[in-house]
């Protein structure tokens, strides 16, 4: 950078990402010492704009962080009243009783929330304590110090031309330096991915596993609305094609969260996760609920599923990885927000103690110890075999053997030890010639919608003049390898229609990246069988604008 020099600002702790993990860390740091300089940088146009969870929130994280959250007006207004599990067949369903489930599966005491709104409220709490929060600031680069330690990040670079050169209104952004940098970017964080690779933090761990979560908000007939009701389903339409299932959560104001998760270790590359979700809504039980209602928002986000055995080492010199940048979701509970909050608190406490001792830019090992041996590790360890059983032995084994293992783990032991996951989700993808194409019904425009129409309900936006933030390591791979070998799966696994194979003027296959549609779910970075797509951060403020996801 000769013409465009970057200014640097010094902080005690620089936090990337205003999700539950990052905001909890910021709040805890200022609770411990009001004099600490703490900054939070968020790529969304506002805090909450990129937050997508179910969400049923276990308040244990918030209880530990802000015990008087109720008095402070936290938006946890809908306690869970009933909890239903169904196994679906195409035309009907069987209710799975709650009594055989281990106590950890019980949602009593939890709340149906908009995590976007919870994060907006947490940001207010943080700002009241003196945290600086900058939304619309994407962190695009790591700044390394002279000894290879992480010194800070670059944030707020704007106005590049499509070829990457500075455009007319180019802003180089700033370097934000900290004694410690916290990466709380959520699942498959782009900076976290770089740091994990640079310091080989996944060495000796199982591969991280993921699901793709898609979600719509519906306003339904008040007669059918049951505030506080929680329903989970498994089985149809996925059957043996893939692991996954649905969630239906009735929040307030006659709104319902309808969501669908597809485990990304599916083999059949013809599978179209978005269309599985659309098809699911035509199940008689679901269709009856939604009939006469309207879908008011849509979004998608990957969810980490590797759990206890997949968590990488979470500290390196000058940096700590928080929340789902590490992967802290309890898969059978489909919950990670509580652990994200607890991890933020633990990282803050470790950084505070280190700074008190005059340390900086070293490894916060106390943070990692707390995560692995404290409440988060305990939560994740009990359920560690459910996902591998589901992947390798199917849904029934995961329900029965996995259920039994969760029970014995609750009592303090496991007969299975710790099962491995085996392949990564990208490696699990099979060749197109070995699988049957799947015929999906056309969306009816009432219960089910075509992908691009639904993407307009994510209110996503990207400045078109910038370079595509979805970078191909080798631009020839999509057409030369992925199309012939895997049937061009990106055209299906992306829930926002970013990727297309079209014919050029000569009739040859051409790969098109409609990066403007991207909803920042990161599925392409995870599932591309050739691992050729690198999701990098676009300029700040771009991406979805979720209302109350
Ligand atoms: C469909 C679905 C349903 C779920 N249901 C539940 C549920 O019911 N209950 C539950 O507890 N959990 C649920 N989860 C899991 C939960 O969402 C995660 O565990 C949680 O979001 C992790 O929090 P986090 O703070 O680590 O990351 P996130 O919540 O993802 O927050 C990360 C933030 O960092 C920002 N960011 C990322 N990269 C950058 C960058 N480079 N620069 C600046 N900003 C950046 C993002 O925009 C985002 O705001 C669900 C997840 C999904 C996908």
């Amino acid at each position: 950078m000769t013409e465009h020099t970057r200014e640097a600002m010094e902080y005690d702790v620089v936090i990337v990402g205003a999700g539950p993990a990052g905001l909890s860390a910021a709040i805890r740091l200022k609770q411990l010492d009001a004099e600490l300089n703490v900054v939070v940088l968020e790529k969304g146009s506002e805090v909450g704009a990129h937050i997508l969870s179910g969400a049923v929130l276990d308040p244990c994280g918030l209880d530990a962080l802000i015990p008087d959250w109720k008095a402070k007006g936290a938006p946890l207004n809908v306690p869970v009243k009933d909890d239903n599990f169904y196994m679906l067949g195409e035309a009907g369903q069987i209710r799975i009783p709650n009594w055989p489930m281990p106590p950890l599966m019980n949602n009593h005491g939890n709340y149906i929330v908009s995590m976007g709104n919870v994060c907006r409220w947490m940001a207010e709490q943080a700002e009241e304590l003196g945290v600086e929060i900058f939304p619309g600031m994407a962190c695009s680069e790591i700044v390394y110090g002279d000894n290879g330690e992480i010194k800070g990040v670059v944030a707020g670079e704007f106005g590049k031309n499509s070829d990457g050169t500075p455009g007319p209104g180019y802003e180089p952004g700033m370097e934000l330096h900290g004694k410690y940098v916290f990466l709380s970017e959520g699942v498959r964080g782009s900076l976290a991915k770089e740091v994990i690779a640079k310091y080989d933090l996944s060495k000796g761990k199982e591969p991280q596993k993921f699901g793709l979560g898609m979600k719509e908000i519906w306003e339904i007939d008040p007669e059918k609305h049951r505030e506080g009701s929680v329903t989970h389903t498994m089985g149809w339409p996925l059957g043996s094609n893939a692991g996954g299932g649905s969630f239906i959560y009735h929040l307030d104001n006659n709104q319902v969260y309808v969501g669908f998760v597809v485990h990304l270790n599916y083999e059949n590359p013809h599978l179209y996760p978005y269309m599985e979700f659309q098809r699911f809504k035509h199940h008689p039980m679901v269709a009856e609920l939604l009939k006469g209602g309207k879908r008011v928002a849509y979004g998608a986000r990957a969810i980490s599923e590797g759990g206890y055995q997949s968590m990488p080492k979470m500290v390196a010199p000058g940096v700590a990885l928080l929340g789902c940048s590490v992967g802290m979701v309890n898969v059978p509970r489909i919950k990670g927000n509580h652990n994200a909050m607890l991890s933020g608190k633990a990282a803050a406490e470790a950084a505070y103690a280190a700074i008190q001792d005059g340390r900086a830019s070293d490894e916060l090992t106390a943070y990692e110890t707390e995560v692995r041996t404290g409440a988060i590790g305990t939560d994740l360890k009990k359920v560690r075999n459910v996902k591998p059983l589901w992947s390798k032995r199917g849904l029934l084994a995961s329900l029965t053997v996995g259920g039994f293992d969760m029970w014995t783990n609750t009592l303090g032991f496991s007969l299975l030890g710790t099962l491995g996951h085996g392949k990564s989700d990208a490696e699990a993808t099979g060749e197109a010639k070995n699988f049957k194409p799947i015929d999906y019904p056309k969306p009816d425009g009432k219960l089910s919608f075509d992908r691009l129409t639904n993407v307009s309900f994510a209110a996503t936006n990207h400045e078109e003049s910038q370079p595509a933030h979805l970078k191909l390591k080798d631009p020839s791979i999509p057409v030369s390898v992925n199309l012939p070998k895997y049937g061009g799966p990106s055209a299906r696994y992306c829930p926002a229609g970013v990727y297309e194979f079209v014919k050029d003027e000569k009739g040859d296959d051409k790969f098109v990246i409609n990066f403007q549609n991207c909803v920042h779910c990161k599925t392409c970075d995870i599932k591309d069988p050739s691992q050729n797509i690198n999701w990098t951060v676009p300029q700040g403020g771009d991406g979805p604008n979720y209302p109350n996801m």
Side-chain angles (χ1 to χ4, degrees):
M1 268 303 133
T2 44
E3 278 178 73
H4 302 284
T5 22
R6 283 192 179 117
E7 285 182 26
M9 286 182 75
E10 303 297 325
Y11 287 90
D12 290 302
V13 182
V14 174
I15 301 175
V16 179
L23 290 167
S24 299
I27 289 169
R28 187 65 186 142
L29 282 161
K30 293 296 264 186
Q31 285 173 340
L32 290 166
D33 183 350
E35 297 304 313
L36 288 173
N37 288 319
V38 180
V39 66
V40 180
L41 303 150
E42 168 56 48
K43 67 177 162 68
S45 58
E46 50 143 357
V47 171
H50 290 184
I51 295 295
L52 188 141
S53 270
V56 173
L57 179 68
D58 176 340
C60 66
L62 211 48
D63 288 342
L65 187 72
I66 307 176
D68 56 346
W69 53 261
K70 216 167 232 170
K72 289 191 161 132
L76 278 66
N77 303 319
V78 181
V80 175
K81 291 191 189 130
D82 62 74
D83 217 354
N84 312 285
F85 289 86
Y86 290 98
M87 183 66 79
L88 300 189
E90 187 165 358
Q93 66 276 348
I94 296 172
R95 172 122 197 235
I96 303 173
N98 296 52
W99 61 262
M101 307 218 188
L104 62 90
M105 295 295 288
N106 190 342
N107 271 316
H108 184 78
N110 297 334
Y111 293 82
I112 301 175
V113 298
S114 151
M115 272 315 289
N117 286 345
V118 170
C119 287
R120 289 176 185 109
W121 174 83
M122 289 177 79
E124 282 167 21
Q125 306 305 304
E127 281 179 330
E128 271 173 29
L129 292 167
V131 175
E132 290 176 41
I133 301 183
F134 297 121
M137 292 284 270
C139 300
S140 48
E141 281 175 48
I142 297 275
V143 179
Y144 293 97
D146 294 338
N147 300 313
E149 79 282 11
I150 289 178
K151 191 171 141 188
V153 292
V154 172
E157 192 182 18
F158 286 96
K160 283 188 190 166
N161 292 321
S162 59
D163 62 0
T165 56
Y170 179 70
E171 296 283 343
M174 306 191 66
E175 285 193 10
L176 296 110
H177 298 167
K179 291 177 180 142
Y180 294 100
V181 174
F182 289 174
L183 297 180
S184 40
E185 299 174 285
V187 59
R188 199 69 161 195
S190 44
L191 298 181
K193 185 178 152 187
E194 174 182 327
V195 167
I196 290 169
K198 179 174 167 71
Y199 295 100
D200 203 9
L201 301 181
S202 290
K203 191 174 167 199
K205 309 288 192 254
E206 284 294 311
Q208 185 54 268
K209 305 293 283 182
F210 301 90
L212 165 60
M214 295 154 286
K215 178 177 167 188
E216 294 171 351
I217 306 180
W218 280 72
E219 272 167 22
I220 62 160
D221 178 353
E223 296 279 304
K224 300 178 191 169
H225 188 255
R226 285 181 293 131
E227 187 171 305
S229 168
V230 162
T231 295
H232 291 106
T233 75
M234 287 168 284
W236 191 86
L238 289 172
S240 57
N241 276 331
S246 83
F247 56 89
I248 301 173
Y249 302 155
H250 292 239
L251 59 161
D252 43 8
N253 302 320
N254 298 321
Q255 289 199 328
V256 178
Y257 290 143
V258 182
F260 200 77
V261 177
V262 176
H263 297 176
L264 285 174
N265 56 2
Y266 63 83
E267 293 181 340
N268 184 346
H270 303 293
L271 192 94
Y272 194 160
Y274 173 82
M275 292 304 283
E276 296 286 345
F277 175 30
Q278 296 308 305
R279 183 149 76 155
F280 155 76
K281 288 180 288 169
H282 287 271
H283 186 275
M285 184 180 92
V286 187
E288 177 51 33
L289 175 73
L290 300 181
K291 222 167 16 187
K294 67 172 184 206
R295 167 270 280 112
V296 293
Y298 166 75
R301 183 84 169 96
I303 179 167
S304 58
E305 294 186 338
Y308 187 76
Q309 53 273 55
S310 297
M311 286 194 293
K313 184 177 172 201
M314 37 201 111
V315 293
V319 74
L321 274 53
L322 277 52
C324 276
S325 287
V326 172
M328 295 184 177
V329 170
N330 180 316
V331 173
R333 297 180 77 202
I334 337 178
K335 288 186 186 60
N337 286 308
H338 61 302
N339 285 338
M341 291 179 185
L342 292 171
S343 81
K345 178 173 177 285
E349 286 167 0
Y352 165 74
I355 293 169
Q356 288 287 99
D357 287 350
R359 287 164 46 200
S361 302
D362 56 2
E363 293 195 2
L364 291 171
T365 44
Y367 162 60
E368 173 137 9
T369 306
E370 172 56 27
V371 170
R372 291 195 190 275
T373 60
I376 300 171
T378 308
D379 183 48
L380 296 180
K381 203 169 174 188
K382 283 183 198 156
V383 302
R384 67 192 181 282
N385 291 323
V386 173
K387 169 76 183 178
L389 281 166
W390 197 338
S391 309
K392 291 178 178 166
R393 305 266 175 257
L395 175 59
L396 202 60
S398 133
L399 283 174
T400 52
V401 185
F404 178 74
D405 193 60
M406 283 197 283
W407 264 113
T408 60
N409 271 297
T410 306
L411 303 172
F413 69 97
S414 167
L415 299 175
L416 302 177
T418 298
L419 302 177
H421 294 300
K423 292 179 186 167
S424 73
D425 293 336
E427 288 163 347
T429 314
E431 293 192 28
K433 64 174 192 227
N434 298 330
F435 294 88
K436 272 205 197 128
I438 304 170
D439 195 19
Y440 290 101
K442 211 166 151 337
D444 69 354
K446 292 184 189 125
L447 291 176
S448 49
F449 312 98
D450 69 77
R451 198 167 41 174
L452 290 183
T453 303
N454 236 358
V455 172
S456 68
F457 283 77
T460 195
N461 176 53
H462 290 83
E463 175 55 55
E464 298 206 7
S465 59
Q466 68 186 309
H469 62 281
L470 303 149
K471 314 251 185 243
L472 300 179
K473 292 180 203 157
D474 177 345
S476 72
I477 295 274
V479 167
S480 66
V481 179
N482 288 355
L483 187 58
K485 196 167 172 188
Y486 303 104
S490 56
R492 291 176 293 282
Y493 61 59
C494 171
V498 167
Y499 303 101
E500 280 181 282
F501 290 87
V502 297
K503 296 284 180 197
D504 67 11
E505 51 295 345
K506 284 193 237 145
D508 293 333
D509 291 308
K510 184 176 153 193
F511 188 56
V512 178
I513 302 180
N514 303 302
F515 73 88
Q516 299 84 344
N517 292 355
C518 178
V519 294
H520 296 201
C521 73
K522 317 276 177 82
T523 300
C524 52
D525 194 290
I526 296 163
K527 185 64 177 167
D528 176 37
S530 305
Q531 283 298 278
N532 186 47
I533 301 176
N534 192 22
W535 193 99
T536 66
V537 78
Q539 69 181 32
D542 285 357
N545 285 285
Y546 294 139
N548 57 334
M549 280 288 190

